[in-house]
Amino acid sequence: MGPRTSAPDPQPPKWAGRLLTFLGDPETAEELAGDLLEMYAYWLETGSKARANRRYIWNALKLIRPFSRRKRANPYPNPHSLTPAMIQNHFTIAFRNLFKSKGHSLINISGLAVGMSCAILIFLAVRHETSYDLHQSHIDRIYRVETENIKENQTYPGTYTGMANALRTDMPEAETVAPLLKIGGSTMAVGEHRFRESYVYADAGIFKTFDYQWISGSPADALTQPNTIVLTRRYAEKYFGTTDATGKNIRLDNKQDLTVAGVVEDYPATSSFPFDMIVSFPTLKNVNPDYDQNRWNGWNDNFQVFVLLKKGTRPEQLIGRFAGVVKKYMGKEALDHKRFKLAHLSTIHYSGNLGGRSANVSLLKTLSLIGALVLLIACFNFINLSTAQAFKRAKEVGIRKAIGSNRQSLVYQFLTEAGLITLLAAAGALILSVLALPSLAAALAIPLTASDLFTAETALFSVILLIVTTLLAGVYPALRLSGMAPIWALKNNVAVQAGQWFSMRQGLVVVQFTVSLVLISCAMLINRQLDFFRHADLGFNQSAIITVGLPDNKPEKLQALRDNVLRSPQVKDASYSFNSASAESNWMQSMEYRQRPEVVQVKTQMKMGDAHFLDTYGIRLLAGEPLKDSDTTHSKILVNEIFLGRIGITQPAQAVGERIYYGDGDQFATITGVVKNFNVNSLHQKIDPTVIQVVPDNYFQLGVKLQSERPTAASVQTALSHIEKAWTAAFPDQVFEYSFLDETLAQAYQSETRTARLIEVATFFAVLIACMGLFGLATFTAEQRTKEIGVRKVLGASVGSIIGLLSKDFLKLVVIAFLIASPIAWYAMDVWLEHFEFKIRIAWWMFPAAGILMTAIAMLTVGFQSVRAARLDPVRSLRSE
């Protein structure tokens, strides 16, 4: 039989008391509420509870205005709470209470510091990503022309090379047109100094469309002549040691001399056009004579066209003319499957752009949500611990009210204490932000430095954050503590009165653990999806393949290079191609199958590779014959299974010998073989219909397959040394660079990898803050039930039973949080996985696993205080009474 405990004092109907508080005279409401409580206690002693309740309600209603007579103005008004003396008094008491409860103060300050630091860092990241290209003076009128494939319901940032001339000749709404063609992996040389660089081809339209500050040269004629180049300040100093570089020469790929026609200031960090080298478009005829600058069949995302609309022109006017452009240059029949769109300059940072770096909108939203949740968890800790300690401050509140302090003064006092803790937390947040910023910048690949923490925008955000955090964390405890009636505040059983807030604390703890469980579940699911990416069967072999760029594709050089590379015992095979079996940069071509009653048009990805392409990348041939190096007339092709499905052929063998036409022209190719489907894109996208053909003029990459699937570091180094020696012998004036195919393919999932890492870090901090608060609440619970624990131990209760007694309430909260968090996490991950064509299935067991993990963490946190309280000598705990 357990110990007898005194029953809590009966309480009057709460709604009547609240009605009096809201509708009574504000100057006398608290005093009258206290008097009514004393009368209610007397009525209970002299009569029944029902009668006492009726008398309490009746008297409360009589005191509500306008039924009560107005009280005369107080000849001695309460002193103002915001005088200098009172403010000094508030801070003095705040500092005393801060040092009086060092443990709880440390938990509050630490939790708020972590939450505020997360908010500040995420603000810096989001501000950076959302400020791209805002420095452009004509940003409201600049658009990019994009290509939409209607049947595939897919839009591409690139377009046809003929679009630039069409805009100039057929669209009077265009003020200027700026076509850009990005080229990567070329060698730029000045004397003996050589560098591997990327650059863009452009014409004078780029300087009329976008803002550039000129150091030397003229924007009007800088790119009008062939063999000219414009450099940024940084690159002028890199190549010539000075910005006075106009008239000097740079050699491109040891083929063409380029004359510096101008030097411009470096671009800002938030530019979608980070081009240090801009080469004139007329130069392209000398470098690549076969490049068609007025093509309407096939496009590349590395060629993009930007247009500056005339003032007063709406983009809809230009869009309305695109149908005429399609009919004029592509034929009327193309209207059914081709359409052009305009993307505003402010949006291109969130899609494919020539800068090579795109922001992920969902990642930014996730970051913002995580920052808000972590900060809320920290604020909930403050609220929980403040209200949990209310009974310690109850007599202070009662005495203050008894000697004349009004509620407003008490609210200011508690808000001052909250503000002081938040201010100290802000100082800690600044230190944490300085320490964590380099890691965040590296994880998100954002050029952020410590100086970004001390800008006017960050300062303004920090001040707003400080105010909002103070209000979030301090308003509820201030209102609750200041609203305690003096009669209850001064009674010994005030802890029972404080119990009315227990449900609020339970709710906040449930919210904290719900957020933590959602983050844990999401982190587990995202990591499973990433593991799927790493180990998915792509339909080809990506292991132990080294890729090297080719500055020249002359047949005699390529043959000599391949022969030299194959002499290494570490090399199994080598292949020349346009790009790898799977790549983010694609060459799309419209193909037609005309053996049906209706012509079947197929948007096809073109893979150019030699006779060793299939063997090097491990692509399986299902039917027919592989290509030969002599098949260089576009007359023979290999197709994949997806292509066969689009043209209505079910068996691979039936496709061999069929003709496929290039676009709507007369040129055709014969299918000589069918390969098994392989992922030509990342796993975000479906497998495209694919054609493989031998086109030596488009060989820009060498793929080298090593003998071992898991080579040792020593064998890899030996192979690399041999490849570099052979490559340098073939291209003595070029810069050798290489990459591993599996690492290159992994870069396509950088956004998901960043999301996973950020959620893992956020999960750690969210769980840490929640456990800090739980630890504080467990300490409070143990202190509050010290006498009960002592009595139970005297009556024979075991340590285990007492631990269970103290832990079961917190365990219930974790279970409730698990029931709430599981469907939320399931829904969030289901929406996230919709972005992937190839994805995992959400396994039900992952949510119980997250719940068990969270329960273990919570029980370890509570268990420490529970064991400490259970092992306390009962004589000591009872002696304190």
Side-chain angles (χ1 to χ4, degrees):
M1 180 177 179
R4 297 183 61 184
T5 57
S6 58
D9 291 348
Q11 297 187 25
K14 293 183 179 179
W15 66 267
R18 290 172 180 167
L19 197 64
L20 176 59
T21 300
F22 287 119
L23 299 181
D25 190 331
E27 295 183 358
T28 61
E30 291 187 10
E31 180 182 349
L32 293 174
D35 293 341
L36 271 180
L37 286 173
E38 292 181 355
M39 294 298 298
Y40 181 77
Y42 173 75
W43 292 331
L44 279 176
E45 293 177 1
T46 58
S48 65
K49 178 175 175 57
R51 185 183 180 190
N53 286 345
R54 288 195 300 271
R55 297 184 69 177
Y56 181 88
I57 294 171
W58 173 247
N59 282 276
L61 292 175
K62 287 197 300 180
L63 293 171
I64 293 173
R65 292 182 295 178
F67 302 113
S68 63
R69 289 177 299 175
R70 284 189 177 273
K71 190 175 181 179
R72 288 182 306 158
N74 187 0
Y76 305 102
N78 291 322
H80 201 277
S81 300
L82 291 180
T83 62
M86 289 301 295
I87 293 175
Q88 182 180 359
N89 181 65
H90 290 331
F91 275 101
T92 300
I93 296 174
F95 273 107
R96 288 176 181 172
N97 285 312
L98 182 70
F99 290 104
K100 183 178 179 181
S101 302
K102 296 184 182 67
H104 289 90
S105 297
L106 181 62
I107 291 175
N108 280 330
I109 292 172
S110 301
L112 286 175
V114 172
M116 294 177 71
S117 177
C118 287
I120 291 172
L121 291 174
I122 289 172
F123 165 77
L124 291 178
V126 173
R127 185 197 65 178
H128 175 86
E129 296 288 21
T130 55
S131 60
Y132 269 70
D133 301 315
L134 297 183
H135 60 276
Q136 298 288 349
S137 60
H138 302 308
I139 185 173
D140 58 321
R141 296 190 287 136
I142 301 176
Y143 293 83
R144 180 176 66 187
V145 180
E146 298 184 339
T147 305
E148 180 186 7
N149 189 299
I150 299 174
K151 293 183 178 179
E152 298 292 333
N153 192 26
Q154 191 167 357
T155 302
Y156 298 88
T159 190
Y160 301 95
T161 59
M163 179 58 71
N165 288 331
L167 286 168
R168 295 187 183 105
T169 58
D170 301 323
M171 302 194 179
E173 294 84 1
E175 180 175 318
T176 62
V177 178
L180 299 175
L181 173 62
K182 184 178 180 180
I183 304 294
S186 295
T187 298
M188 298 287 185
V190 174
E192 297 298 323
H193 301 287
R194 295 191 298 271
F195 304 94
R196 195 77 168 172
E197 305 285 11
S198 295
Y199 62 94
V200 292
Y201 286 105
D203 58 23
I206 188 175
F207 303 125
K208 298 176 183 177
T209 306
F210 305 109
D211 295 336
Y212 284 88
Q213 297 180 15
W214 286 78
I215 299 174
S216 63
S218 170
D221 55 10
L223 297 180
T224 57
Q225 300 300 316
N227 307 327
T228 56
I229 185 172
V230 173
L231 304 177
T232 59
R233 172 189 290 273
R234 183 166 63 101
Y235 263 54
E237 294 175 347
K238 173 182 176 180
Y239 278 84
F240 303 105
T242 177
T243 57
D244 185 18
T246 305
K248 298 181 180 180
N249 292 332
I250 297 177
R251 190 157 183 82
L252 170 61
D253 281 335
N254 201 31
K255 298 177 182 177
Q256 189 70 50
D257 286 327
L258 304 177
T259 302
V260 179
V263 178
V264 296
E265 285 290 354
D266 293 332
Y267 50 83
T270 53
S271 174
S272 296
F273 309 94
F275 310 137
D276 290 294
M277 311 183 98
I278 308 174
V279 181
S280 65
F281 251 118
T283 309
L284 189 56
K285 294 181 180 179
N286 298 333
V287 176
N288 186 3
D290 295 330
Y291 189 85
D292 187 354
Q293 297 189 45
N294 196 32
R295 180 171 179 167
W296 288 96
N297 186 13
W299 75 88
N300 191 312
D301 284 342
N302 284 334
F303 179 83
Q304 298 183 9
V305 176
F306 294 84
V307 57
L308 174 65
L309 299 184
K310 292 180 179 179
K311 291 183 179 180
T313 301
R314 292 178 292 105
E316 292 79 9
Q317 295 175 247
L318 189 63
I319 294 174
R321 293 185 181 274
F322 279 136
V325 170
V326 173
K327 288 191 290 184
K328 179 178 179 179
Y329 295 100
M330 305 180 70
K332 185 177 180 180
E333 62 278 0
L335 288 172
D336 295 332
H337 57 87
K338 200 68 61 183
R339 186 161 51 205
F340 297 106
K341 304 167 67 174
L342 292 180
H344 193 265
L345 180 60
S346 61
T347 66
I348 70 168
H349 181 57
Y350 309 105
S351 59
N353 60 77
L354 296 178
R357 185 183 181 282
S358 299
N360 188 303
V361 176
S362 61
L363 176 59
L364 294 181
K365 292 180 179 178
T366 302
L367 274 177
S368 302
L369 180 62
I370 287 174
L373 290 177
V374 173
L375 182 61
L376 271 179
I377 288 175
C379 292
F380 288 170
N381 264 2
F382 185 96
I383 294 171
N384 273 340
L385 295 178
S386 297
T387 55
Q389 294 189 67
F391 79 101
K392 293 184 178 180
R393 307 285 302 272
K395 288 189 177 181
E396 174 193 342
V397 173
I399 293 173
R400 281 174 174 268
K401 286 192 172 184
I403 63 177
S405 179
N406 58 22
R407 185 174 187 182
Q408 184 184 47
S409 176
L410 290 171
V411 169
Y412 288 150
Q413 174 63 59
F414 292 122
L415 283 178
T416 300
E417 295 178 13
L420 178 61
I421 289 177
T422 307
L423 191 61
L424 294 174
L430 181 61
I431 297 173
L432 290 175
S433 299
V434 171
L435 296 175
L437 187 59
S439 298
L440 177 70
L444 295 178
I446 296 176
L448 294 175
T449 61
S451 61
D452 292 300
L453 289 168
F454 302 98
T455 62
E457 290 181 350
T458 308
L460 178 61
F461 175 80
S462 300
V463 170
I464 295 174
L465 181 66
L466 185 67
I467 296 172
V468 171
T469 304
T470 301
L471 295 176
L472 281 175
V475 166
Y476 179 77
L479 294 177
R480 278 299 188 182
L481 292 173
S482 64
M484 297 172 64
I487 184 64
W488 290 106
L490 293 171
K491 293 186 69 172
N492 289 331
N493 63 347
V494 70
V496 176
Q497 176 72 359
Q500 64 180 321
W501 307 325
F502 187 69
S503 61
M504 179 67 177
R505 289 204 300 276
Q506 283 182 319
L508 295 181
V509 171
V510 167
V511 171
Q512 287 180 313
F513 281 102
T514 298
V515 172
S516 299
L517 280 166
V518 169
L519 290 175
I520 290 174
S521 302
C522 290
M524 293 173 64
L525 282 161
I526 292 174
N527 277 306
R528 282 201 69 205
Q529 180 68 17
L530 287 175
D531 286 338
F532 171 76
F533 286 155
R534 297 187 191 103
H535 303 104
D537 182 7
L538 302 180
F540 67 93
N541 195 330
Q542 59 177 320
S543 302
I545 294 180
I546 299 171
T547 59
V548 184
L550 298 173
D552 192 347
N553 50 25
K554 291 181 180 178
E556 60 274 11
K557 285 193 174 185
L558 298 189
Q559 186 59 47
L561 173 59
R562 187 174 188 278
D563 292 341
N564 286 338
V565 167
L566 291 176
R567 290 193 181 99
S568 171
Q570 281 81 25
V571 174
K572 182 178 181 180
D573 207 342
S575 171
Y576 295 116
S577 59
F578 174 72
N579 55 17
S580 303
S582 178
E584 291 297 292
S585 177
N586 303 320
W587 184 316
M588 306 305 297
Q589 169 76 46
S590 176
M591 306 289 283
E592 289 187 357
Y593 181 61
R594 302 175 183 175
Q595 302 303 315
R596 301 287 180 187
E598 293 184 358
V599 175
V600 180
Q601 294 183 336
V602 183
K603 183 200 69 175
T604 307
Q605 184 169 153
M606 311 303 289
K607 288 289 181 183
M608 292 78 166
D610 61 12
H612 302 271
F613 187 77
L614 300 187
D615 292 336
T616 300
Y617 291 98
I619 299 171
R620 183 181 169 191
L621 184 68
L622 298 179
E625 299 177 350
L627 296 174
K628 303 180 180 63
D629 285 331
S630 58
D631 298 330
T632 59
T633 59
H634 301 275
S635 60
K636 295 181 180 180
I637 58 174
L638 302 178
V639 299
N640 66 351
E641 297 170 280
I642 297 290
F643 188 95
L644 294 190
R646 296 291 172 85
I647 64 176
I649 297 178
T650 57
Q651 297 298 322
Q654 296 175 358
V656 177
E658 293 291 323
R659 289 184 176 184
I660 304 296
Y661 288 82
Y662 292 90
D664 57 356
D666 296 329
Q667 185 180 12
F668 66 88
T670 303
I671 299 176
T672 62
V674 178
V675 298
K676 186 175 179 59
N677 287 335
F678 61 97
N679 288 88
V680 291
N681 307 305
S682 68
L683 294 173
H684 297 91
Q685 306 172 41
K686 296 182 291 186
I687 299 176
D688 287 331
T690 304
V691 162
I692 303 174
Q693 58 183 344
V694 177
V695 187
D697 289 342
N698 289 323
Y699 291 164
F700 298 108
Q701 179 176 284
L702 169 65
V704 180
K705 174 67 176 178
L706 302 183
Q707 286 285 0
S708 175
E709 289 292 329
R710 292 182 174 84
T712 63
S715 63
V716 169
Q717 190 57 48
T718 301
L720 282 173
S721 298
H722 180 83
I723 295 170
E724 180 177 7
K725 184 178 179 181
W727 192 91
T728 304
F731 311 109
D733 297 320
Q734 305 293 334
V735 179
F736 175 77
E737 285 186 348
Y738 69 91
S739 61
F740 291 95
L741 179 59
D742 52 357
E743 295 177 357
T744 302
L745 297 180
Q747 293 177 3
Y749 313 110
Q750 283 183 347
S751 177
E752 290 75 26
T753 304
R754 290 169 183 161
T755 302
R757 300 293 85 81
L758 289 169
I759 289 183
E760 287 172 358
V761 173
T763 301
F764 171 77
F765 284 122
V767 173
L768 176 64
I769 294 172
C771 288
M772 288 168 61
L774 194 62
F775 182 83
L777 288 177
T779 304
F780 157 74
T781 303
E783 291 175 355
Q784 189 181 25
R785 304 179 72 171
T786 299
K787 181 179 178 181
E788 177 189 350
I789 293 171
V791 171
R792 287 179 178 274
K793 291 195 70 173
V794 169
L795 294 177
S798 64
V799 173
S801 65
I802 293 176
I803 293 174
L805 175 71
L806 295 176
S807 302
K808 66 180 182 180
D809 291 335
F810 296 107
L811 182 61
K812 292 177 184 177
L813 301 182
V814 176
V815 173
I816 294 173
F818 166 74
L819 296 176
I820 298 173
S822 294
I824 295 175
W826 189 298
Y827 174 77
M829 285 295 95
D830 187 59
V831 172
W832 184 73
L833 288 171
E834 287 180 357
H835 295 89
F836 305 102
E837 187 66 28
F838 301 91
K839 55 194 174 186
I840 62 170
R841 290 186 177 180
I842 300 178
W844 65 268
W845 57 264
M846 299 185 67
F847 302 101
I852 293 171
L853 177 62
M854 190 73 254
T855 302
I857 295 173
M859 290 302 99
L860 285 174
T861 305
V862 176
F864 176 79
Q865 280 297 334
S866 300
V867 171
R868 183 180 176 186
R871 293 174 62 87
L872 189 67
D873 186 356
V875 175
R876 292 178 58 191
S877 60
L878 293 175
R879 185 184 297 163
S880 64
E881 296 294 324

